[in-house]
Each structure stands twice: as C-alpha cells, then as structure tokens.
C-alpha cells in the first residue's frame, strides 16, 4: 500500500516558510563525518528527509553511533567504527551513498560497496569519481554490481575533471584528506554544497583550499577529529518555494535562504515579471502578476540549476508566449513534462529541450512523481490546477523535501495524503 499526495488547486497561499538545511550538502556531510578518527561530529540544520534515514542506516552498519538529538540535530560518533562491505538495500535507495566510497577509501584505503541508486535522470556515470581514486593510487574492480576499491597507500596527485562534477569533486576531496602530499582538483565543481563540505572537513582538521573555485587543493592531514557544523540552507528547496509563490501565492516570505545562491533563478524570475523583494536572508514574493515566457539553459553553478528547471516548468505554463528549457546536465530530465501534459500543459519535447507555450489552464489529474524534482514540479502544478491532482510515488518527494506538505498546509494549501 503506497501513499499518494492529493492537492485541491486554486487556493491562494499566504504567509512565511522557513527553508531547511541543504539536502545535497547533508548527504555528503554525513559520510564525511566518518573521516574523523575521533568523534563526535555534531551537525545541525539536518533536514528531515528519508535520504538522511538511509545514510544513517549505512552508518549504523559500520558501527558508527548516530544520535538524533532533536529534529534537525544529529551527533555522529565514528570512534568505534569498522570497515565492512556496504551491500544492503540502503545503498541502492539513493545516489549519495557513493560518498561512502571516498570517505571509506580515505579512512581505510579500502571500500566494497554496491552500485549506488537514486533518481533516474538518464545515464549517471561515476567514471570521474573512479578515475580520481585511481589517480590517488587506488585500484578499482567492479564485479556483479559491486565495487572494490583499494590501495596500499594514497598519494596526492593532480586531477583534471573532464566535467565539473559535484559528486566527483566531493568524493575526491574526501578520499584525499589523508593522502600523502598535495592533491589538486582542476575544473572542480563550484556548487555551494562543495564549500560546505570543505568547511566541515577543515573544522575536523583537513587542509582544503579553494572550495568554491575551480581549483581545489588538499594537503594530506594526519588525523581528523570531531567538530560542530551547521548546514547551509537548501537553495533548491528555497528555489522551489520561490517558484511556487510566484505561481500560487498572494504574498509569501521565504526565510533562511542565501539569495546569492539563487541569483540565476531570481534574475530569470525578474525577467518573467515576478514581483519580489530580496533581503539578506529572505525573499518576499507577490504572486498574481502577468508573466512573460523566458528561455532557460541549465548549467553548472552559478548557472541555472538543473534541479530547478523541473519546478520552474509549471510556472512557465502560466507565462505569456513561448518559453524554452534547454538541459545541458541531464539531457533526459524531462519526465515531468509528460506528466504536466496530462494536466493539459502545452509542451513540445525534443532532444534535451522543452518548448512551453502559455498561458494554459491546468487541470488536476492522476500523475506520477518519477523523480524528486518531478515531484516538486507536480506539486506546484497541482496548486494552480483546477480540481484535484493525485500524485503517485511520493517517496521520491520524501527523499529530498523536508515536510513539504506540512509547510504548504501552513501557507494555506489544501493538500493531504491517502493510502492508495
Ligand atoms: N558525470 C559524468 N561522470 C561522472 C560524474 C558525472 O559523466 O563521473 C556527468 C553527469 O552525467 C552529469 C554531469 O556530469 O551530466 C554533472 O553531474 P554531477 O556529478 O555534478 O551530478 P551529481 O553529483 O551526481 C549532484 C546532485 C544532483 C544535481 C547534480 C547537478 C547530489 C547528491 N546530487 O548530482 O541533485 O542535479 O549534482 O547539479 O548532490 C537532486 O537534488 O534532485 C539532484 C539530482
């Protein structure tokens, strides 16, 4: 018996919403904590999402103590930890389990684990992660769906990433914290989550410089220990609420955000005609304005985030004229468009591109959250559609949004869950 989310559209939202800690930082920070030879690592601002529960299960398999001090506050103590193969279902529940590769390789010079899972967005290779480990001196073997990565010793190296991959940058950083000498990652990804992970590792005693630029250097450390760290706000959750406010709110204040992390989105929304006030750590959006279509091209940070093109699409169906979304990161990340078409959106799909014509009235229907951000896209569509929208496979939404329905109810949405 699976849960569905139902939304009765057309109710105007009002009020304040507080953004949780960044999912994509959290899912790297939790594995990074095991690099502490002596604990504990205290992390606050942890979002209440099922990816955190899956990663905590993996930590427990490694005999790491995980204490949930309060809703958003966990303490991870790896002092009694041991290394063992990670082959349970928790590995395949999420993509970010791959961060245990870098973390365990860094700490023990050996890791055995299954192929990670996660949202299907088209092919998601991890060749750059593996090449990075090999450059540090590791051997990578892959048999029957499992990786075995091991080294006698890890030695710093110069690594050029062919694509500035977020995952590869973080994974290599973690594998290199104990490597002998200096590792340099060139063409590194610059996402804010990478800075957050480097900041926590440095508090633990690592020597990482340049995170947030495209050249990161890591000088090997002798021993890392516990620290206290507060996670940055989730820029994708923030972006989702900002878009949702433009689509369905009278006036909404989105708090606990870092507007600089959202510049590409905010400037596109301004171009569309969205009425907003941007302050130091919050944005106020007033909906109900006439909107113009825009052209979006997803790019690595600080460009327009691929994770926000899906939530943006339903808003584009409400804008005047033609909008285009070109996807350069995950060229097949358009499953949400097929679901939105069921709700009467006028969208043409071609290779790596969606063309949206608006404004179009949306109608509630039975739709499927094929991945996390598709789920967010359908929730936004449901809020503005006429009638009731029924969203299936909502476990994808629960993987990455902290209490999305609770936050929306607090803003006046008519949203509920049923067992289908
Ligand atoms: N790529 C390779 N080889 C690799 C690694 C990546 O070819 O070894 C390619 C990918 O196929 C993709 C591009 O490089 O075309 C960028 O991928 P990246 O490695 O940056 O993505 P990721 O680390 O797997 C993270 C986020 C994603 C987000 C992307 C892009 C996490 C756990 N995931 O994925 O978030 O879309 O960066 O910004 O941090 C989401 O939150 O919904 C989500 C999917």
């Amino acid at each position: 018996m699976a849960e569905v989310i139902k939304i009765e559209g057309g109710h105007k939202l009002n009020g304040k919403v507080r953004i949780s800690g960044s999912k994509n930082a959290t899912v790297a920070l939790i594995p990074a904590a095991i690099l502490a030879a002596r604990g504990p690592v205290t992390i606050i601002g942890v979002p209440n999402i099922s990816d955190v529960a899956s990663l905590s299960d993996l930590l427990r398999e490694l005999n790491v103590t995980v204490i949930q001090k309060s809703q958003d506050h966990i303490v991870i103590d790896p002092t009694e930890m041991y290394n063992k193969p990670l082959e349970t279902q928790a590995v395949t529940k999420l993509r970010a389990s791959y961060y245990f590769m870098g973390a365990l390789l860094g700490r023990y010079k050996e890791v055995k684990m299954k192929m990670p899972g996660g949202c299907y967005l088209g092919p998601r290779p991890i060749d750059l992660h593996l090449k990075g480990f090999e450059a540090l001196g590791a051997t990578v073997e892959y048999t029957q769906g499992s990786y075995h990565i091991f080294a006698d010793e890890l030695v710093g190296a110069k690594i050029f990433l062919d694509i500035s991959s977020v995952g590869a940058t973080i994974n290599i950083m973690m594998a290199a914290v104990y490597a002998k000498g200096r590792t340099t990652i060139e063409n590194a990804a610059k996402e804010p989550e990478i800075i957050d992970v480097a900041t926590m590792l440095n508090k633990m005693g690592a020597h990482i410089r340049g995170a947030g630029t495209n050249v990161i250097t890591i000088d090997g450390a002798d021993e890392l220990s516990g620290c206290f760290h507060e996670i940055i706000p989730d820029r994708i959750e923030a972006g989702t609420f900002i878009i949702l406010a433009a689509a369905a709110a009278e006036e909404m204040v989105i708090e606990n955000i870092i507007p600089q992390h959202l510049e590409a989105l905010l400037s596109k929304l301004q171009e569309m005609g969205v009425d907003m006030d941007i302050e130091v750590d919050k944005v106020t959006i007033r909906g109900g304005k006439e909107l113009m279509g825009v052209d979006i091209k997803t790019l690595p940070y600080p460009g327009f985030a691929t994770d926000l093109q899906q939530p943006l699409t339903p808003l584009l169906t409400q804008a005047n004229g033609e909008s285009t979304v070109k996807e350069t990161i995950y060229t097949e990340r358009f499953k949400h468009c097929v679901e939105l078409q069921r709700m009467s959106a006028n969208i043409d799909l071609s290779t790596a591109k969606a063309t949206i014509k608006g404004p179009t009235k949306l109608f509630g229907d039975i739709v499927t959250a094929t991945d996390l951000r598709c789920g967010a896209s359908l929730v936004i569509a449901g809020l503005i559609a006429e009638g009731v929208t029924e969203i299936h496979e909502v476990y994808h939404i629960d993987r990455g949004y902290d209490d999305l329905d609770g936050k929306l109810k607090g803003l006046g949405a008519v949203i509920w869950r049923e067992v289908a």
Side-chain angles (χ1 to χ4, degrees):
M1 291 295 235
E3 264 186 338
V4 298
I5 289 180
K6 288 194 173 179
I7 302 169
E8 186 182 275
H11 299 275
K12 284 287 174 208
L13 309 186
N14 274 296
K16 286 184 185 167
V17 63
R18 188 178 165 79
I19 298 305
S20 301
S22 159
K23 163 199 165 256
N24 285 345
T26 306
V27 297
L29 292 169
I30 291 175
I34 66 169
L35 285 159
R38 287 174 292 112
V41 174
T42 299
I43 309 181
I44 67 164
V46 180
N48 185 13
I49 53 176
S50 66
D51 272 7
V52 167
S54 303
L55 290 170
S56 300
D57 287 345
L58 290 172
L59 288 177
R60 289 190 192 99
E61 280 183 41
L62 299 167
N63 205 37
V64 176
T65 308
V66 186
I67 302 166
Q68 183 99 31
K69 284 276 186 185
S70 65
Q71 172 97 332
D72 73 340
H73 175 170
I74 60 169
V75 177
I76 300 172
D77 193 341
T79 315
E80 303 294 321
M81 168 182 177
Y82 44 71
N83 193 8
K84 77 183 258 269
L86 293 176
E87 285 170 340
T88 56
Q89 261 227 318
V91 180
T92 52
K93 277 194 185 154
L94 77 168
R95 181 103 193 131
S97 49
Y98 60 32
Y99 288 132
F100 278 101
M101 287 183 175
L104 285 169
L105 182 66
R107 177 149 177 194
Y108 293 102
K109 316 280 173 276
E110 180 170 19
V111 50
K112 271 191 192 168
M113 69 180 282
K114 267 195 186 170
M115 183 73 187
C119 288
Y120 182 78
L121 311 173
R124 296 182 76 181
I126 57 165
D127 56 311
L128 298 171
H129 306 227
L130 303 175
K131 275 189 199 159
F133 300 150
E134 283 171 339
L136 296 173
T139 302
V140 177
E141 290 172 355
Y142 181 68
T143 38
Q144 294 174 346
S146 270
Y147 287 98
H148 183 199
I149 308 168
F150 54 97
D152 288 335
E153 72 169 355
L154 295 172
V155 181
K158 203 174 210 183
I159 298 164
F160 181 88
L161 296 180
D162 295 336
I163 303 173
S164 55
S165 150
V166 175
T169 303
I170 294 178
N171 236 339
I172 295 168
M173 228 161 58
M174 294 203 286
V177 289
Y178 284 124
K180 267 197 186 154
R182 172 168 290 192
T183 300
T184 307
I185 310 175
E186 292 180 355
N187 196 29
K190 297 185 283 198
E191 272 68 0
E193 294 74 24
I194 294 166
I195 306 178
D196 207 31
V197 176
T199 303
M200 187 178 93
L201 288 170
N202 283 345
K203 286 184 196 167
M204 291 163 66
H207 307 297
I208 303 172
R209 297 288 173 268
T213 76
N214 57 9
V215 181
I216 299 178
T217 59
I218 305 116
D219 288 312
D222 293 331
E223 194 178 86
L224 269 55
S225 53
C227 75
F228 178 91
H229 185 73
E230 181 170 1
I231 302 169
I232 55 168
D234 193 312
R235 65 192 166 97
I236 307 300
E237 187 199 12
T240 303
F241 273 95
I242 289 168
I243 294 165
L244 180 157
E250 265 162 15
E251 183 166 303
M252 194 190 294
V253 183
I254 297 108
E255 297 180 326
N256 189 37
I257 68 167
I258 300 175
Q260 288 87 337
H261 290 171
L262 287 153
E263 267 174 4
L265 172 72
L266 293 173
S267 72
K268 275 293 163 193
L269 293 179
Q270 274 163 342
E271 192 184 326
M272 289 180 75
V274 174
D275 183 0
M276 65 175 85
D277 292 332
I278 304 169
E279 289 168 74
V280 157
D281 60 354
K282 63 181 180 194
V283 172
T284 304
I285 305 281
R286 283 170 289 272
K289 299 285 175 298
E290 179 119 338
L291 301 177
M292 296 300 300
V294 284
D295 297 321
I296 305 286
K297 185 175 177 184
T298 66
L299 287 168
Y301 187 83
F304 194 96
T306 168
D307 296 342
L308 286 174
Q309 63 89 352
Q310 292 169 290
L312 186 70
T313 311
L315 183 67
L316 297 177
T317 69
Q318 303 307 299
N320 286 300
E322 194 173 283
S323 297
T324 56
V325 175
K326 282 193 194 139
E327 188 39 273
T328 76
I329 313 286
Y330 295 114
T331 52
E332 294 176 30
R333 198 174 194 173
F334 287 107
K335 293 222 169 66
H336 63 295
C337 291
V338 178
E339 302 301 312
L340 292 173
Q341 282 165 343
R342 269 187 238 291
M343 298 175 72
S344 294
N346 183 348
I347 305 177
D348 285 332
L349 285 174
S350 54
T351 310
K353 184 177 166 189
T355 304
I356 301 114
K357 292 196 187 96
T360 315
K361 191 167 174 53
L362 300 183
F363 294 91
D365 208 323
I366 298 175
V367 289
T368 303
T370 55
D371 58 80
L372 168 61
R373 309 299 170 189
C374 168
S377 174
L378 298 177
V379 167
I380 296 172
L383 291 169
I384 53 180
E386 182 178 314
V388 173
T389 299
E390 178 176 319
I391 306 175
H392 288 245
E393 306 213 359
V394 297
Y395 66 91
H396 282 296
I397 298 175
D398 298 335
R399 280 193 37 219
Y401 283 95
D402 181 349
D403 192 23
L404 183 59
D405 6 340
K407 288 180 180 178
L408 286 171
K409 270 186 205 149
L411 294 161
V414 180
I415 178 169
W416 69 100
R417 290 189 184 224
E418 282 179 13
V419 175

